Amino acid sequence: MSESVSQAQKSDHPWIYLNDSFIPSRQNVFPVTTQAFNYGTGVFEGIRAYINTSGEQLNIFRLDEHLERLLQSAKILHLHGLPNAEELKKITIKLLQKNNPQENCYIRPIAFKQDLLPDAGFGVKLSGIRTGLTIYSLNMHAYAKQDGLRCTITSWRRIADSAIPARAKITGSYVNSALATETAQRNGFDEALMLNSHGNLAESTTSNVFIIKRGRLITPPLSAHILEGITRDTVIILAKRYLNLSVEERDILPSELLSADECFLCGTGMEITPVSQIDHHLTHSMKLNSISLKIRSLYAQVVRGELEEFNHWLTPVPSIEE
Ligand code: PMP
């Protein structure tokens, strides 16, 4: 994963948005005193845009939902004075028009605590600090391993909602994800599955988790200290509509996870990625006709505009001449 992401980052787009202006991405230099750099006090989103099946149109997938979550996360961190959802949408489209990508890409808005206002004293806080906003984009294809992930249940617990709000995508909380990923990979696995402080399954490091048991699709509830994933929501809707499966949102104990028939991860970056192994237990996720593979293929169709009834999830980026 890290290698392909770093390859993607080599093809950064030429323009970024920073505090009301579009500037060349080479210029994005922040002072070392930037509050979010010191304390992790920023919120962000990860959004993907896909070229449609006929190869003519770039569409941003579920942009409205991502921007709504960005603003909700911002509210929790008292990041005031941001553009509203409609304005953010226009800025995002304009950025992609300027960058004019010819392939699938990734969009990263970050709203953050920038610098102390004149009368604010030094320290860790959320008030008396100017809000900054940046959006950058880069080319990005599928980076997750396609032939089945090998996951481990990590000993790093998912941060409790009472410590850092789980439903907000806060930059600082990703230390938790980074530690879990690093440990899992050093131990020879691809990804980590994280339990919450109650010992139930929460999510993976940057994606939500589903298991399948006797044909039933099960995922941890929002009360399991998880991020309310937009891909998770997409899976629930597609499974119901096309596979006639209802989803049980309920706590999952590690023993149930280890005895699952199938398991997959889902997230904007991760897309739908079947898990072939959990610690030393093998799953059927990669078997022909598995539910995980069916959901992966439905997701690939919806993001490319092949499921017409869900085309309202796609925001087209008009070519600049229009
Ligand atoms: N959980 C965490 C911790 C994440 O970082 C992500 C990625 N945003 C997800 C779940 C999946 O969320 P989404 O489907 O909205 O990308």
Side-chain angles (χ1 to χ4, degrees):
M1 168 175 154
S2 52
E3 194 174 300
S4 32
V5 170
S6 69
Q7 273 166 8
Q9 282 166 350
K10 284 190 195 116
S11 51
D12 279 1
H13 293 166
W15 296 95
I16 65 162
Y17 174 85
L18 178 64
N19 297 336
D20 295 331
S21 317
F22 292 96
I23 61 167
S25 52
R26 276 169 284 111
Q27 280 178 20
N28 65 18
V29 178
F30 285 111
V32 291
T33 49
T34 302
Q35 291 280 306
F37 172 62
N38 283 254
Y39 306 122
T41 44
V43 299
F44 70 106
E45 275 302 318
I47 309 168
R48 273 190 190 260
Y50 292 88
I51 309 273
N52 72 352
T53 307
S54 61
E56 291 149 7
Q57 178 63 55
L58 182 72
N59 295 307
I60 309 172
F61 188 62
R62 302 199 73 175
L63 178 61
D64 291 338
E65 291 83 350
H66 280 286
L67 295 178
E68 186 191 326
R69 189 172 65 188
L70 180 74
L71 291 173
Q72 279 172 8
S73 300
K75 192 170 172 198
I76 289 176
L77 273 205
H78 302 276
L79 282 155
H80 304 299
L82 289 167
N84 65 26
E86 210 41 52
E87 290 160 346
L88 285 170
K89 192 170 177 174
K90 285 190 189 139
I91 296 167
T92 307
I93 293 171
K94 193 159 174 199
L95 176 70
L96 285 193
Q97 285 180 312
K98 280 182 87 66
N99 283 327
N100 193 23
Q102 300 302 309
E103 39 191 298
N104 295 345
C105 56
Y106 186 80
I107 306 152
R108 166 60 56 83
I110 312 175
F112 59 100
K113 293 291 178 187
Q114 192 161 317
D115 45 2
L116 293 168
L117 293 172
D119 292 334
F122 189 82
V124 182
K125 52 180 145 184
L126 296 174
S127 297
I129 305 164
R130 198 157 61 102
T131 296
L133 171 67
T134 184
I135 310 177
Y136 65 84
S137 57
L138 43 95
N139 291 342
M140 189 185 280
H141 287 285
Y143 62 69
K145 228 171 111 212
Q146 297 299 300
D147 56 348
L149 282 186
R150 298 175 58 250
C151 291
T152 182
I153 302 177
T154 179
S155 55
W156 294 102
R157 293 288 167 117
R158 167 76 175 157
I159 303 170
D161 190 69
S162 55
I164 301 181
R167 68 182 54 243
K169 226 172 137 52
I170 296 174
T171 55
S173 59
Y174 281 77
V175 171
N176 185 226
S177 302
L179 287 167
T181 308
E182 184 69 19
T183 308
Q185 291 181 351
R186 280 177 190 257
N187 287 340
F189 293 91
D190 300 310
E191 252 296 359
L193 297 170
M194 305 186 78
L195 306 182
N196 59 30
S197 48
H198 302 293
N200 296 314
L201 176 63
E203 56 188 332
S204 182
T205 58
T206 56
S207 54
N208 293 112
V209 188
F210 281 80
I211 62 166
I212 291 134
K213 220 164 174 184
R214 294 189 205 94
R216 296 188 341 259
L217 201 49
I218 311 165
T219 196
L222 300 182
S223 55
H225 307 240
I226 63 169
L227 183 78
E228 189 172 0
I230 292 162
T231 321
R232 175 184 181 277
D233 179 64
T234 304
V235 167
I236 293 173
I237 294 171
L238 295 181
K240 204 175 193 172
R241 175 73 183 85
Y242 294 102
L243 304 178
N244 205 18
L245 288 173
S246 60
V247 177
E248 291 175 27
E249 294 183 58
R250 61 161 174 82
D251 283 329
I252 299 172
L253 285 167
S255 55
E256 190 173 21
L257 175 61
L258 291 175
S259 58
D261 299 327
E262 296 179 37
C263 176
F264 63 87
L265 307 185
C266 69
T268 299
M270 183 62 76
E271 302 175 299
I272 308 296
T273 303
V275 173
S276 53
Q277 188 179 331
I278 305 169
D279 286 325
H280 297 289
H281 301 261
L282 301 179
T283 74
H284 301 299
S285 316
M286 287 301 293
K287 293 253 165 80
L288 197 68
N289 284 327
S290 72
I291 292 176
S292 306
L293 290 178
K294 284 183 188 153
I295 290 178
R296 179 166 82 177
S297 128
L298 282 169
Y299 189 75
Q301 287 175 271
V302 78
V303 298
R304 286 168 179 78
E306 288 173 26
L307 305 181
E308 218 167 281
E309 65 179 305
F310 292 108
N311 279 357
H312 59 276
W313 281 342
L314 308 180
T315 300
V317 178
S319 63
I320 213 124
E321 308 78 58
E322 279 178 37

